Amino acid sequence: MPRLALLVLAALLGACATPVAPSGGPVDATPPTLVSSQPETAATGVASPTITLTFSERLDPAARAAVSVAPVGDTPPEVSVRGRDVTVTLPALRPATTYVVTVGTTLKDSRGVALRAPVTFAFATGDTIDRARIAGVVRSPETGAGVPLAVWAYALADSASTPATGGAPDYRTETGADGAFALEYLRPGPYAVVAVRDPNRNLRADPGEAFAASPRRVLRADTARAEPLAFWTTTLDSIPPRAQRVRPVSDRRFSVRFDEPVRLRDVSADAWTVADSASGRRAEVAVYQPRDAPFEVFVEAEAGLPPVPHRVSYRPASPPALADSAGRAAAPFDLSFTPPARPDTVQARFLGFAPGTPRDTVTVLRPGARPSVRFSAPLAPADQAARIVVTTDGQRLDTTFRTDDGVSYEPVRPDSAALPATFEISVQAPDSTYRRRFAVAGERETGGLVGRIERSPVRAASGAPVWVEARPASGDPVTARAQDDGAFAIQGLLPGPYTLRAWADLDGDGRWSGGAVAPYQAPEPLALALDPLQVRARWDTEVPPITL
């Protein structure tokens, strides 16, 4: 045989000996499903400690980490994955016990497609199998959307026991994409239940990790198919924001970066000190926070700082000038830095008007609302008066300007007088003049939402105020306090769709609190009405009763 033919034949034989997945074709997005189990689900009188679960597709070997067994023994079970099978071997079986095997959504097939919902499988060593359950839905308190979290249940000796949610749970499952979960095959009795996002698998809710505390201290597992309980997510935030470093920008300007988003609530420089480290000479400074820099606060000196070591210090005031989204005051700090020699070239650029979009020529404001003019850097008081002009009927209004963040300016009239029904704000820029007309809606141009909050006698007896929040499709919500009998009215709303959120303010801070896990603290009762309610001018829209 010619040498060339032999080489071609060898190449063909070698290719046939190495199977390769065909290229092209549709991407496999079908998740694996449980085909069979041994023993069968809900089987009783089981004596073998070996469990085999067979899935519809070959599995990723790492799938063994997705398997858990309850009740938890002193020795963990052995879990192996081979092909389509997951084999679980228990060290020993307890008599008259229901075992629950849960396969979480981290189980993937060989192509990396994960389960869409957890799989629960149960059997009993005795003659009967436990069938009590606890069902719930974990949702966002802002949007009502389902939140994927792990769900843990801890058995309690009795209903008076103090819930302890540390360590390995007695039962576990996960929520589906819609946030729904069901803890199945439980032994009837009282439980403490918590939902947690636990990326480091340390079996607790760490600061910054989302969790949802149970709506009640103790939940009872039974066989009734009750309405799923509402669990609302929050985060544990027991650590105040901490400054990490200084980032010099120029000889006059630098930023302080924090380890979490912060909000500047008071732009007065009383809480801030910038001084030469050697001489102690202090510099006059202004502080501000652009909206696109939630982790930073900028400090601008009145004059250039010499390129020698300086120290910036912050000491919290009351109320705090700087806090995180939960209202926790930033920790005091002292940071050293050396300003660069380069001169400051930052210019305060006009960024836009709020509210409204850049295309608006006229923005309608609800009564009591104030517009603002946004810049990229602070304006000196003289520049505010020179660059921002408020007029009505061609006449300039006598106004000053207030700011919360140092770069957004709201017009304020003397003696806190109301703004006129129509006015125009013009902003002078180096190469152009920007204008926006505003109209304050009158009573005949606004509507309201009226309704009633229904509370249980126990919650009503607490005397906690109830807040109702009307949330427009865009813009800031409008909040009103319900009367003692539960009636509420939110007036002065611009026409359009609104959703509602209501909560009982148990701690009196004016914000909803999601409670805590350890030690347990109940979340404040919360209700969302997500079906849009249409507000019409000169009309009070009746809201269906809201139950807390």
Side-chain angles (χ1 to χ4, degrees):
M1 182 177 291
R3 180 178 178 83
L4 179 59
L6 288 172
L7 291 174
V8 172
L9 179 61
L12 291 174
L13 290 173
C16 293
T18 306
V20 178
S23 60
V27 176
D28 178 15
T30 303
T33 57
L34 181 64
V35 175
S36 64
S37 64
Q38 184 60 40
E40 295 181 353
T41 186
T44 57
V46 174
S48 173
T50 301
I51 307 158
T52 302
L53 306 179
T54 301
F55 287 82
S56 58
E57 302 180 62
R58 291 180 63 86
L59 301 175
D60 183 328
R64 59 181 177 272
V67 180
S68 63
V69 180
V72 179
D74 295 333
T75 303
E78 295 181 3
V79 182
S80 63
V81 176
R82 184 174 183 179
R84 299 188 300 140
D85 294 337
V86 176
T87 302
V88 182
T89 304
L90 300 173
L93 293 178
R94 303 176 188 176
T97 300
T98 296
Y99 283 87
V100 182
V101 181
T102 302
V103 183
T105 53
T106 56
L107 179 137
K108 299 178 181 179
D109 64 21
S110 58
R111 294 179 179 268
V113 183
L115 286 178
R116 288 180 181 162
V119 172
T120 300
F121 160 78
F123 65 91
T125 57
D127 296 333
T128 61
I129 191 167
D130 294 330
R131 292 191 178 274
R133 71 196 298 266
I134 295 173
V137 182
V138 180
R139 293 196 177 106
S140 161
E142 298 293 333
T143 66
V147 180
L149 295 179
V151 181
W152 303 330
Y154 299 82
L156 303 176
D158 52 58
S159 297
S161 299
T162 300
T165 55
D170 295 296
Y171 298 90
R172 67 178 75 192
T173 187
E174 299 174 8
T175 66
D178 59 354
F181 72 87
L183 290 155
E184 306 271 11
Y185 303 106
L186 306 183
R187 183 183 295 274
Y191 290 85
V193 178
V194 61
V196 178
R197 179 173 289 127
D198 187 33
N200 57 6
R201 299 178 180 272
N202 66 350
L203 298 177
R204 65 171 182 259
D206 294 321
E209 292 180 355
F211 72 90
S214 169
R216 297 193 294 274
R217 185 180 66 87
V218 176
L219 302 182
R220 179 163 289 278
D222 54 35
T223 57
R225 296 277 168 168
E227 186 74 17
L229 297 167
F231 285 65
W232 304 102
T233 59
T234 187
T235 56
L236 181 64
D237 192 5
S238 60
I239 302 174
R242 297 188 182 280
Q244 293 179 311
R245 62 180 181 273
V246 175
R247 180 174 67 88
V249 176
S250 68
D251 63 348
R252 289 181 50 216
R253 198 180 308 267
F254 61 90
S255 74
V256 179
R257 185 170 181 84
F258 292 82
D259 60 355
E260 64 173 301
V262 294
R263 184 177 139 202
L264 189 60
R265 296 181 166 189
D266 184 356
V267 297
S268 66
D270 298 343
W272 300 78
T273 302
V274 177
D276 185 313
S277 298
S279 67
R281 182 184 304 165
R282 294 189 177 188
E284 295 293 327
V285 297
V287 292
Y288 67 99
Q289 184 180 37
R291 293 196 176 187
D292 60 354
F295 286 84
E296 292 182 292
V297 172
F298 284 78
V299 181
E300 179 185 358
E302 221 175 54
L305 304 174
V308 297
H310 281 69
R311 180 174 291 273
V312 55
S313 302
Y314 170 79
R315 297 294 180 267
S318 183
L322 189 63
D324 62 14
S325 58
R328 194 174 303 280
F333 63 83
D334 296 279
L335 294 175
S336 297
F337 70 102
T338 299
R342 59 178 176 270
D344 190 76
T345 59
V346 174
Q347 299 293 323
R349 294 179 292 103
F350 168 70
L351 298 180
F353 299 98
T357 70
R359 295 183 179 180
D360 289 345
T361 56
V362 179
T363 296
V364 178
L365 303 172
R366 67 176 183 83
R370 290 185 179 274
S372 65
V373 181
R374 293 171 45 223
F375 289 84
S376 62
L379 295 177
D383 290 336
Q384 296 173 24
R387 297 187 61 178
I388 309 174
V389 177
V390 184
T391 60
T392 182
D393 297 329
Q395 301 295 316
R396 182 164 182 163
L397 285 176
D398 181 15
T399 58
T400 56
F401 299 92
R402 66 176 296 273
T403 179
D404 289 328
D405 57 13
V407 289
S408 300
Y409 298 93
E410 297 179 358
V412 178
R413 299 197 65 193
D415 300 324
S416 300
L419 291 167
T422 60
F423 58 94
E424 180 181 86
I425 299 179
S426 60
V427 177
Q428 306 296 324
D431 55 353
S432 183
T433 299
Y434 299 90
R435 293 183 173 87
R436 172 73 58 83
R437 293 197 300 275
F438 293 89
V440 179
E443 291 184 4
R444 297 177 61 82
E445 300 168 296
T446 62
L449 294 171
V450 297
R452 181 175 296 277
I453 303 296
E454 296 182 348
R455 291 197 287 173
S456 68
V458 174
R459 288 176 176 170
S462 71
V466 173
W467 294 97
V468 186
E469 192 175 66
R471 303 160 73 90
S474 62
D476 297 328
V478 182
T479 304
R481 180 172 172 170
Q483 299 177 15
D484 292 342
D485 62 357
F488 70 87
I490 307 177
Q491 302 292 346
L493 300 177
L494 297 177
Y498 290 79
T499 57
L500 288 181
R501 188 171 85 147
W503 72 94
D505 190 14
L506 301 180
D507 58 11
D509 66 352
R511 294 180 304 206
W512 177 76
S513 170
V517 174
Y520 173 79
Q521 180 181 338
E524 293 179 335
L526 174 72
L528 297 183
L530 298 176
D531 292 333
L533 298 161
Q534 192 68 31
V535 170
R536 294 181 290 168
R538 293 178 294 172
W539 192 267
D540 283 341
T541 300
E542 189 80 23
V543 177
I546 299 174
T547 301
L548 274 181

